[in-house]
Amino acid sequence: MKQVYLDYHTAKPVDPRVVDAMVPYFTEKFGNPSSLHHVGDVATEALEESRRAIADYINADDDEIVFTSGATEAINLGIIGYALKNKSKGNHIIISEVEHISIRNIAKYLEREGFEVSRVPVDQYGMVDIRKLERRITEKTILISVGYASNEIGTIQPIKEIGALAEERNIAFFTDAVAAQGLVNLDVQRENVHLMALSSNDFYGPKGVGVLYMKKKYRVNPIMIGGGQERGLRSGSEDLAGIVGMRAAVEIMRKEMDSEVKRLEAYRDRMIKQVLEEVPDSYLNGHPTERLASNAHFRFDGIEGESILLMFKDMDIAVSTGSACTSKTLEPSHTLIATGLLHEEAHGSLQLTTGRFTTDDDVDAAMKAVPDVVSRLRELSPIYDSKKR
Ligand code: PMP
């Protein structure tokens, strides 16, 4: 039986066209951009072309792009680097309750280092309320962090409004755009984003490469100290093959995004309609309309996410119940809890995420499996109300 993969928010395969673009940079174009000879020049050219391609996608200038070893490092550099650089101006930062685990843990770290952190709640759909955000701003606030979209429930935040508020109050606005990149048009000028993290893998490029966008006025302190690469902001030899891969991935995405998004939206809408119609006591998690094209997220009364996962695994269908970054703990997803769900409701959730290589057959297989898995688990469930069976 063919393996079905519906967990694109956790990891994406590298597009074979990206692999082709990368290969020469492991072998004949192996140079170091810091070298002043011809081999180094070839590397420098590739590095700068990649920087330009990524800057162009988000409407930034080339010198506002810093290559990192992935989104986690970009987030560390953006938030910790900005906080350290600006601590004389204030020690207060605001994050949303639905930030990625890396941002939640950075916030805890900064609290231990003497910063104050406010956490803005979200509504039942996981959306940040601008008025609540505004009420948390003090004269000591230096940074606001709200992820562009949820990698779990797919809700897209009102980024433009948050950016406008931050700009008006002269506060830096950081957004982790990893879940949204390649699915929405990002424009740091239009959206007043000052700092933004991206990852190569979420464009179908290699893992372990990322970018911090940093608007000129919003400087950060480096957190990786060494030979001074990336204008002193990120020392260490650049992963040139990876960076070239990220560029190729961005260029392919820009050509194909519109048609890809349409295709994924059709899958998403079909899955949502079918599950809600065919499975009694099922609900959609996340926003009904302001959601990523790739994301369908459900909860079912009376069953546990863990057992759903195992039954899907038996059928060779890869799905998720929440953020992979926290799935090794038995804690329910902080995002689902922030939307007001009880622990048992959060545990009874299923995340189906599609992507570039998803086929009709994959979606058919999942749609056939969901009603069956849910009813089999409910048969065994001591908590599912028998009257509903
Ligand atoms: N932010 C989001 C929304 C993510 O989904 C992830 C993981 N893909 C990260 C940040 C961290 O990215 P990386 O693994 O590239 O460090």
Side-chain angles (χ1 to χ4, degrees):
M1 204 167 75
K2 186 181 158 278
Q3 233 235 0
V4 174
Y5 185 77
L6 290 171
D7 196 18
Y8 272 78
H9 281 203
T10 302
K12 293 178 176 58
V14 179
D15 191 303
R17 293 169 290 179
V18 169
V19 177
D20 290 345
M22 291 172 69
V23 168
Y25 291 87
F26 291 110
T27 50
E28 70 262 33
K29 297 180 182 177
F30 59 87
N32 187 326
S34 301
S35 311
L36 298 177
H37 44 60
H38 295 312
V39 180
D41 288 349
V42 171
T44 303
E45 201 176 308
L47 178 65
E48 296 313 319
E49 271 172 15
S50 300
R51 200 185 303 285
R52 204 162 310 129
I54 289 149
D56 203 49
Y57 166 53
I58 61 171
N59 196 16
D61 288 338
D62 298 4
D63 60 359
E64 296 175 322
I65 300 295
V66 181
F67 285 109
T68 64
S69 67
T72 301
E73 189 191 329
I75 293 167
N76 273 263
L77 182 58
I79 300 183
I80 300 178
Y82 190 82
L84 294 180
K85 180 86 177 173
N86 292 281
K87 65 174 180 232
S88 61
K89 293 191 198 139
N91 70 340
H92 180 232
I93 70 169
I94 302 174
I95 69 169
S96 86
E97 285 279 22
V98 292
E99 295 302 277
H100 185 259
I101 184 80
S102 54
I103 293 163
R104 289 163 67 78
N105 283 335
I106 286 171
K108 286 187 202 151
Y109 165 77
L110 287 175
E111 281 175 322
R112 291 194 295 275
E113 294 297 310
F115 286 84
E116 280 171 31
V117 179
S118 299
R119 293 166 176 83
V120 206
V122 293
D123 65 14
Q124 60 175 316
Y125 302 122
M127 193 160 298
V128 167
D129 180 332
I130 282 268
R131 286 177 306 266
K132 288 188 180 150
L133 173 62
E134 191 167 11
R135 282 203 289 276
R136 280 167 177 77
I137 296 177
T138 73
E139 73 281 6
K140 290 192 290 179
T141 310
I142 53 169
L143 181 102
I144 295 170
S145 169
V146 177
Y148 203 110
S150 168
N151 68 320
E152 292 183 59
I153 56 175
T155 299
I156 302 173
Q157 299 293 349
I159 291 300
K160 204 169 158 199
E161 287 75 18
I162 301 171
L165 172 67
E167 182 80 15
E168 183 194 312
R169 305 292 287 266
N170 205 17
I171 297 166
F173 175 36
F174 173 90
T175 189
D176 165 7
V178 169
Q181 60 174 85
L183 293 166
V184 299
N185 283 311
L186 301 175
D187 184 329
V188 291
Q189 310 291 342
R190 192 189 47 182
E191 295 173 318
N192 281 310
V193 170
H194 307 127
L195 297 153
M196 182 161 83
L198 298 170
S199 94
S200 152
N201 186 232
D202 288 76
F203 293 124
Y204 301 89
K207 294 184 188 66
V209 185
V211 150
L212 175 68
Y213 155 74
M214 199 188 61
K215 196 179 170 81
K216 285 189 193 67
K217 208 174 98 186
Y218 296 82
R219 312 307 303 176
V220 301
N221 273 4
I223 52 174
M224 187 78 82
I225 314 295
Q229 287 88 344
E230 296 295 286
R231 301 182 317 286
L233 291 171
R234 201 285 181 181
S235 286
S237 298
E238 297 85 353
D239 172 5
L240 195 60
I243 289 170
V244 166
M246 185 170 185
R247 172 196 168 183
V250 167
E251 288 176 343
I252 294 167
M253 176 278 296
R254 290 189 76 180
K255 285 201 203 96
E256 300 182 358
M257 189 175 106
D258 288 350
S259 58
E260 192 160 297
V261 164
K262 278 205 192 77
R263 204 171 62 85
L264 300 187
E265 272 172 355
Y267 284 146
R268 175 197 67 192
D269 295 346
R270 174 187 157 196
M271 291 195 290
I272 292 175
K273 186 162 180 289
Q274 213 166 326
V275 169
L276 297 184
E277 271 175 18
E278 290 179 11
V279 183
D281 305 308
S282 61
Y283 314 88
L284 180 69
N285 291 324
H287 202 282
T289 55
E290 296 302 303
R291 71 183 301 133
L292 297 173
S294 52
N295 181 290
H297 203 300
F298 305 99
R299 69 180 190 279
F300 307 103
D301 282 349
I303 57 170
E304 296 225 327
E306 195 83 352
S307 34
I308 314 178
L309 266 190
L310 295 177
M311 286 186 89
F312 275 96
K313 190 173 178 181
D314 264 357
M315 295 187 270
D316 236 351
I317 303 178
V319 296
S320 199
T321 48
S323 173
C325 309
T326 50
S327 66
K328 290 210 169 53
T329 73
L330 284 176
E331 287 294 303
S333 140
H334 69 273
T335 301
L336 293 174
I337 296 298
T339 64
L341 295 192
L342 301 171
H343 280 218
E344 59 273 23
E345 291 173 322
H347 275 308
S349 287
L350 170 70
Q351 178 180 331
L352 303 173
T353 52
T354 54
R356 184 166 297 166
F357 306 102
T358 304
T359 62
D360 291 357
D361 287 351
D362 296 332
V363 175
D364 289 347
M367 290 301 96
K368 195 158 164 275
V370 173
D372 187 41
V373 166
V374 173
S375 74
R376 268 156 66 201
L377 288 172
R378 280 177 175 164
E379 289 296 320
L380 307 169
S381 166
I383 52 173
Y384 188 59
D385 182 358
S386 59
K387 285 194 291 284
K388 286 182 179 169
R389 282 181 191 160

